[in-house]
Amino acid sequence: MSDLEAEYRLDYFEEEGFTRRECPSCGVYFWTRDADRELCGEPPCEDYSFIDDPGFPEAYSLTEMREAFLSFFEENGHERIEPYPVAANRWRDDVLLTQASIYDFQPLVTSGETPPPANPLTISQPCIRMQDIDNVGKTGRHTMAFEMMAHHAFNTREDAEADYAYEGEVYWKDETVAYCDAFFESMGANIEEITYLEDPWVGGGNAGPAIEVIYKGAELATLVFMCMEQDPDGEYEMKDGNTYSFMDTYIVDTGYGLERWTWMSQGTATVYEAIYPDAIDFLKENAGIEHTDEERELIHRAAKLSGRLDIDDVDDVEDARGEVAEKLGVDVDRLRELIEPLETIYAIADHSRTLAYMFGDGIVPSNVATGYLARMVLRRTKRLVDDVGVDAPLDELVDMQAERLGYGNRDTIREIVRTEERKYRKTLERGSRKVEQLADEYAATDDPIPTEELLELYDSHGIQPDMVAEIAAERGAVVDVPDDFYALVADRHERVTDGTDAEPDRDERLADLPETEKLYYDDQGRTEFEAVVLDVFERDEGYDVVLDQTMFYPEGGGQPADRGQLSAGETAVEVVDVEEVDGVVLHHTDADPGKGEFVRGRVDGGRRERLRVHHTATHLIGHAAREVLGGHVRQAGAQKGLNSSRLDVRHYERIAREDVREIERVANELVRRNVAVTQEWPHRHEAEAEHGFDLYQGGVPPGTNVRLIHVGDVDVQACAGTHVDRTGDIGSIKLLKTEPVQDGVERIVFAAGDAAIEATQRTEDALFDAATELDVDPLDVPEAAERFFEEWKARGKEIDSLKEQLAEARASGGADVDEVALGDVTAVIQRLDGDADELRATANAHVDDGSVAVVGSGANGSASFVVGVPADVSINAGAVVSDLAGRVGGGGGGPPDFAQGGGPDVERLDEALAAAPDVLRRMLEA
RNA sequence: GGGCUCAUAGCUCAGCGGUAGAGUGCCUCCCUUGCAAGGAGGAUGCCCUGGGUUCGAAUCCCAGUGAGUCCA
């Protein structure tokens, strides 16, 4: 196996007089201008040396630093690119959040399928890394939200065989390192102090040599040279244990942490004080945190020390605090008391910024994907705010950050935060009640609350174990939270196994066929065309026919495939399905039209028309929903049909009835305006620059050009479906219902065109039928229904009370009553064929008179008994019923004073009743 | 996308095969007239919907609907 040492021997290092050394402390190889340097410079080998002694002559704010970086690279031939959303799952499905600038260009650009927006380019990309969430605020340097400043260059090997969307080399390693040096110099840094550490990079199936750039103890940049891909036969084994080989594209991927650079320029004790001083001042004041000069001095010295410690997980933080206290010569508890509130405030500032990024980018809280992450961050922030006693509402804290970041949808962001906060409060209230109950239960028994209960509370009700412990303590119950609590939670989910669906094999047969020419985009209303059969493949059922050109629309974008016929001369074959594979359209037919034949195709026009109408209507409803509900509304899925279609949209609460009406109104308004629906195929970068990422409601398509569908000047989307020419062709749109698909996603079901009329007729038919049944005017149905329902309930009550009266009347001497003396008491044996309520009421009436009651009924096709026993009589009613019911082939039971039972043999009911006196006597004697 | 939990009086919940309950709120009366007052009486339920098991289902099983929650 080769290693990558040679990859780091740059001409630039040679020319600039660098030397390569091995750090005696950690063993890493690094390059430096300072021939006397021993150590690599990175903690823990060396400490931070910029705290209270900034690394650059001038102090920069975040904004100033971002501008300094971007304009430096702009001046050096890079094009400045606007940042991408933080929700990376909007253009890729392998990750949820943008964690680095290179994420913007994966996978389509890095693979060479799609050209980069500029080459070379520079960008400052907002990123969110949830991995560090527990450290935020505590270490002085971790943030969950950050901006990665970067410059990228996309290169293709000269000898590459395949075609790529970019060609040749822009620049590679030497220039990248030279730029880095030059940028440091432009900031006024002493470049003698910089060290370049060899640190190969691996990630996401790619790998390459990489360099960490260390200045005054801080890692300020990482220069990654992505040039290898995972390959079982590769000759390089990387640190993940896999082997890699070089690929045709090679990409400069750099990352300069905006926050780190800003911090370096200011030399404050923690990064937080450098990047959002205003938010921290506000929070401190709001939480009422004040310090004496002596305390301030102590905190500053502690922060300096803890910033230098190597702490990468929370367990270490407590150890580190002890260490710091010792060095400062203060009591660790005093230190904790001083520092913890500050740590909380730092975390709140960072989390608020994270939330502003998330909601600003249109993420809606939910129980899945990015929405779930947003919910977790919000809840955590809420807890921190409550812990430290900040009484500013959460939506205001997030809004402060949103304002600073310049988002235009601040009102929606606030509304989302408020809604989500309200939901969380309800969860907490629900949880508290549950825990209080549980705590009381276990406080009485002196047993600790079992771990199983804790797991249940957390897993099913979202209640953190520390909250359980807190409430339990107030109520005098004991809780032991196991150290491996969260591992136990994970175990509960362990059983879940899913078979990973295998990638379907690529169809080799299609490799030599040309892409099918798609006529359906030329005239979306045409249904007839002529074509040549290029090839026919047999399949399990029927055939796949490939034509040189087609009018048939294949399944895609939630639009079902066209149907129709292909005819050659006298013979015609039915097209039952159509799909597209690698640009080749396969017509699934019931018979073989013959390879090489000249065919006439006819698309089922009625079907096509309905699909076109529904597809354009989908765009209108998406637009109307955005207008009515807010700009965050985004498509989460769609399916067109012939009779109705559905559009799933992201929204943070149930869609109110009045909003449904308003969406319907706005959509139909557009229909009435009869605006033109047009298509165009611009270069994707032009399209993105003009319309932004909201173009891709249904996913990001590959390729250099994208097809855009414009509805007048109100809506534009990248879309491959077939549409009507003018909105008026839709006729009308009827929203049928909305339903929640999952938290944060609402499904809007609607019908358009003829289907809208039909749907309305169906609803009307139902109403008219109901009206006929109630014998009222259709418009009076709700009122009549309510009246009937009320009346029905009143009658139920009246019947109950009449049954009581009837029972009393019967008990006081009706027919079919046998009285039997049982020693001191009388037993009443009675048959009355009524329902269970009547039997019970009658039995009760007898018992009230002081008699034992045995009441039987043969109504409703089965025999049933009720036995009642006055309190002072020692007969077990349950046992009596059990005996009697056995005689009719059934069973029964109940408490000793009142029991019920029965069986299927009605004809033996009288026989059983006749035996009742004997049974009672036996019971009395027993 | 998967797992789990829940659905009973206006509200909060108990009941978990055998006559639907408590607290609170509501109505009436009494006692007091001060600050979630005390006493007596009363009304209020398609026990989420549909199917199944059973002599009998609020209760057990299945499906649906709605709410909540954890994980990727």
Side-chain angles (χ1 to χ4, degrees):
Chain A
M1 292 286 165
S2 308
D3 66 31
L4 290 173
E5 184 186 333
E7 292 289 322
Y8 292 103
R9 300 207 169 271
L10 306 186
D11 292 343
Y12 179 79
F13 285 149
E14 187 78 20
E15 287 157 15
E16 292 285 312
F18 278 77
T19 50
R20 182 177 193 251
R21 313 196 63 111
E22 181 178 5
C23 178
S25 167
C26 67
V28 74
Y29 288 96
F30 65 95
W31 294 80
T32 173
R33 281 189 168 83
D34 180 359
D36 299 329
R37 181 178 260 280
E38 288 274 322
L39 295 166
C40 66
E42 187 178 31
C45 303
E46 281 180 63
D47 286 340
Y48 287 171
S49 60
F50 64 94
I51 310 281
D52 294 334
D53 179 21
F56 311 129
E58 307 244 349
Y60 287 72
S61 68
L62 277 184
T63 311
E64 291 163 348
M65 183 57 77
R66 184 192 302 116
E67 185 53 36
F69 179 89
L70 293 173
S71 53
F72 173 86
F73 280 95
E74 233 171 2
E75 283 158 21
N76 285 281
H78 293 70
E79 190 174 322
R80 186 193 296 221
I81 298 300
E82 287 302 310
Y84 282 49
V86 289
N89 62 346
R90 284 172 66 181
W91 68 88
R92 50 192 296 192
D93 52 18
D94 56 336
V95 292
L96 296 175
L97 295 168
T98 307
Q99 299 204 1
S101 58
I102 194 69
Y103 277 41
D104 299 350
F105 312 111
Q106 290 170 317
L108 293 177
V109 178
T110 50
S111 68
E113 269 182 84
T114 300
N119 202 5
L121 60 84
T122 183
I123 189 170
S124 187
Q125 174 61 46
C127 299
I128 296 174
R129 286 194 187 173
M130 301 278 293
Q131 299 92 313
D132 294 334
I133 191 164
D134 289 326
N135 281 327
V136 174
K138 295 187 192 317
T139 61
R141 62 174 183 269
H142 282 102
T143 61
M144 187 158 52
F146 63 97
E147 275 184 48
M148 181 179 283
M149 305 187 292
H151 61 101
H152 296 281
F154 303 87
N155 308 300
T156 310
R157 265 175 216 296
E158 298 285 333
D159 55 2
E161 281 174 17
D163 278 339
Y164 291 99
Y166 41 90
E167 285 177 7
E169 178 172 303
V170 181
Y171 61 77
W172 191 228
K173 292 182 277 193
D174 291 282
E175 294 86 339
T176 301
V177 177
Y179 279 133
C180 185
D181 265 355
F183 180 59
F184 267 102
E185 268 192 301
S186 79
M187 297 300 296
N190 175 10
I191 60 171
E192 287 282 318
E193 287 190 54
I194 304 172
T195 51
Y196 290 91
L197 277 55
E198 298 181 8
D199 179 32
W201 167 88
V202 182
N206 293 108
I211 292 172
E212 277 185 17
V213 185
I214 311 294
Y215 179 59
K216 288 182 171 290
E219 181 189 339
L220 284 191
T222 306
L223 314 175
V224 175
F225 304 102
M226 185 196 290
C227 56
M228 300 194 286
E229 61 193 347
Q230 204 172 326
D231 175 359
D233 305 322
E235 62 172 317
Y236 295 95
E237 182 176 336
M238 303 298 282
K239 58 188 172 189
D240 66 346
N242 293 312
T243 53
Y244 289 80
S245 59
F246 286 101
M247 52 187 188
D248 284 348
T249 57
Y250 54 109
I251 292 156
V252 174
D253 169 24
T254 65
Y256 292 66
L258 171 62
E259 290 71 19
R260 288 277 171 94
W261 282 76
T262 304
W263 185 21
M264 176 64 68
S265 81
Q266 294 188 21
T268 49
T270 68
V271 67
Y272 318 111
E273 286 149 321
I275 59 180
Y276 15 67
D278 300 344
I280 286 171
D281 285 346
F282 173 85
L283 287 167
K284 264 194 206 166
E285 195 183 317
N286 195 292
I289 296 177
E290 284 172 15
H291 296 118
T292 63
D293 287 348
E294 182 261 335
E295 285 170 337
R296 222 192 314 278
E297 166 64 16
L298 184 63
I299 290 165
H300 187 78
R301 279 169 43 220
K304 247 171 108 166
L305 281 175
S306 61
R308 293 177 191 182
L309 291 165
D310 180 41
I311 36 179
D312 270 333
D313 65 80
V314 199
D315 289 343
D316 297 341
V317 172
E318 265 309 297
D319 298 346
R321 207 191 303 282
E323 222 172 296
V324 170
E326 199 174 320
K327 278 191 187 164
L328 293 173
V330 297
D331 183 61
V332 67
D333 290 330
R334 162 129 201 265
L335 188 67
R336 183 180 304 118
E337 206 171 296
L338 275 176
I339 293 201
E340 259 183 1
L342 285 175
E343 291 177 344
T344 304
I345 276 175
Y346 297 148
I348 293 170
D350 169 77
H351 293 5
S352 303
R353 181 186 178 200
T354 307
L355 291 171
Y357 275 148
M358 287 175 152
F359 298 141
D361 259 356
I363 293 178
V364 172
S366 129
N367 62 341
V368 294
T370 52
Y372 180 64
L373 299 181
R375 173 167 288 169
M376 288 299 97
V377 174
L378 186 139
R379 292 185 171 193
R380 187 188 179 88
T381 311
K382 175 70 180 156
R383 287 197 294 274
L384 293 173
V385 162
D386 289 345
D387 282 352
V388 81
V390 169
D391 69 1
L394 211 51
D395 60 299
E396 201 162 301
L397 298 180
V398 175
D399 187 56
M400 279 174 65
Q401 299 287 344
E403 182 184 15
R404 197 173 60 80
L405 296 167
Y407 283 115
N409 54 344
R410 283 167 54 198
D411 286 344
T412 305
I413 296 178
R414 294 188 78 137
E415 187 57 34
I416 290 175
V417 173
R418 275 196 295 265
T419 303
E420 191 57 24
E421 205 181 347
R422 191 167 54 236
K423 283 189 186 172
Y424 187 42
R425 199 176 50 238
K426 286 203 166 176
T427 294
L428 289 182
E429 281 167 9
R430 242 193 315 270
S432 304
R433 283 194 300 264
K434 262 199 154 48
V435 177
E436 280 166 12
Q437 235 171 300
L438 200 68
D440 287 346
E441 195 178 310
Y442 282 95
T445 64
D446 276 358
D447 289 328
I449 295 179
T451 303
E452 193 50 42
E453 295 279 7
L454 294 181
L455 288 170
E456 176 72 21
L457 283 170
Y458 178 71
D459 204 21
S460 298
H461 304 288
I463 304 161
Q464 315 272 347
D466 49 352
M467 177 175 159
V468 179
E470 200 177 302
I471 295 172
E474 288 169 11
R475 308 236 154 193
V478 187
V479 177
D480 290 319
V481 183
D483 290 339
D484 58 347
F485 182 77
Y486 291 95
L488 291 174
V489 175
D491 285 346
R492 290 189 128 208
H493 299 275
E494 190 73 324
R495 305 167 283 228
V496 189
T497 49
D498 59 325
T500 44
D501 39 3
E503 278 282 302
D505 293 331
R506 280 276 65 91
D507 206 330
E508 294 299 328
R509 306 171 305 178
L510 304 179
D512 295 330
L513 290 166
E515 290 196 7
T516 312
E517 195 180 334
K518 292 155 188 159
L519 303 173
Y520 45 84
Y521 286 142
D522 298 342
D523 178 352
Q524 300 172 66
R526 226 179 86 192
T527 54
E528 308 220 348
F529 68 102
E530 290 165 349
V532 175
V533 178
L534 296 184
D535 213 337
V536 177
F537 306 110
E538 254 187 81
R539 44 185 293 166
D540 296 344
E541 215 172 298
Y543 300 84
D544 277 333
V545 179
V546 179
L547 306 174
D548 61 337
Q549 56 179 10
T550 187
M551 210 71 223
F552 282 91
Y553 182 84
E555 161 109 49
Q559 180 176 333
D562 282 332
R563 303 277 164 80
Q565 290 97 36
L566 298 175
S567 49
E570 295 298 301
T571 61
V573 302
E574 288 290 320
V575 177
V576 295
D577 199 8
V578 188
E579 60 174 331
E580 180 178 351
V581 179
D582 296 337
V584 178
V585 176
L586 300 176
H587 303 75
H588 185 189
T589 62
D590 62 343
D592 183 352
K595 184 174 175 177
E597 282 295 325
F598 183 80
V599 293
R600 176 177 295 276
R602 211 172 70 245
V603 173
D604 177 343
R607 178 186 166 92
R608 158 70 70 80
E609 180 63 17
R610 284 193 163 228
L611 292 171
R612 289 171 71 197
V613 162
H614 273 117
H615 204 144
T616 307
T618 306
H619 286 215
L620 298 194
I621 287 180
H623 168 261
R626 247 185 306 287
E627 186 126 300
V628 174
L629 303 175
H632 59 282
V633 167
R634 191 159 285 118
Q635 179 174 324
Q639 182 63 47
K640 287 84 192 173
L642 296 172
N643 296 316
S644 73
S645 295
R646 54 179 212 241
L647 174 68
D648 298 344
V649 297
R650 300 198 183 282
H651 187 52
Y652 51 86
E653 57 186 0
R654 295 298 312 266
I655 301 177
R657 181 66 202 146
E658 60 201 80
D659 286 336
V660 169
R661 277 200 295 268
E662 186 62 9
I663 290 167
E664 193 171 87
R665 194 191 63 74
V666 172
N668 279 294
E669 169 97 35
L670 269 169
V671 171
R672 206 158 45 245
R673 276 173 49 199
N674 196 24
V675 299
V677 180
T678 55
Q679 55 172 328
E680 58 163 340
W681 290 87
H683 192 280
R684 63 187 309 126
H685 299 140
E686 285 169 31
E688 284 168 17
E690 195 175 340
H691 307 290
F693 264 88
D694 288 343
L695 273 180
Y696 304 125
Q697 295 285 324
V700 180
T704 304
N705 290 71
V706 291
R707 178 170 183 256
L708 296 190
I709 295 296
H710 293 264
V711 176
D713 55 1
V714 299
D715 184 70
V716 54
Q717 282 186 39
C719 178
T722 54
H723 288 267
V724 297
D725 297 326
R726 303 192 68 88
T727 54
D729 300 343
I730 295 171
S732 70
I733 298 175
K734 182 79 200 128
L735 265 59
L736 303 179
K737 65 170 177 177
T738 63
E739 56 183 352
V741 177
Q742 57 184 221
D743 214 5
V745 178
E746 291 289 315
R747 170 164 298 168
I748 301 173
V749 183
F750 63 94
D754 291 347
I757 304 292
E758 291 159 13
T760 308
Q761 287 168 345
R762 273 198 302 277
T763 326
E764 269 186 2
D765 286 348
L767 179 63
F768 279 50
D769 287 350
T772 305
E773 200 63 41
L774 295 175
D775 198 18
V776 296
D777 189 82
L779 289 179
D780 293 334
V781 164
E783 205 188 317
E786 190 187 346
R787 199 178 67 236
F788 284 137
F789 188 50
E790 291 300 326
E791 222 166 276
W792 174 79
K793 286 195 285 190
R795 285 187 190 191
K797 266 176 236 164
E798 198 174 347
I799 290 170
D800 283 345
S801 109
L802 288 174
K803 277 182 188 166
E804 296 274 349
Q805 290 175 33
L806 178 63
E808 277 170 38
R810 275 176 173 157
S812 63
D816 292 333
V817 179
D818 292 334
E819 295 200 2
V820 181
L822 287 176
D824 297 342
V825 294
T826 313
V828 180
I829 317 290
Q830 181 175 14
R831 169 162 178 169
L832 63 96
D833 288 348
D835 63 19
D837 282 338
E838 288 177 65
L839 295 191
R840 279 194 291 261
T842 306
N844 280 335
H846 288 304
V847 170
D848 287 345
D849 293 341
S851 310
V852 173
V854 176
V855 190
S857 162
N860 302 321
S862 68
S864 55
F865 303 97
V866 171
V867 174
V869 179
D872 54 353
V873 179
S874 61
I875 291 180
N876 187 327
V880 175
V881 160
S882 190
D883 186 307
L884 295 179
R887 294 164 189 265
V888 292
D897 61 329
F898 194 91
Q900 305 164 56
D905 302 335
V906 188
E907 61 275 13
R908 298 182 61 188
L909 173 62
D910 287 327
E911 197 179 309
L913 284 174
D918 289 340
V919 174
L920 289 171
R921 283 192 194 97
R922 211 166 51 238
M923 294 291 168
L924 194 58
E925 283 158 17

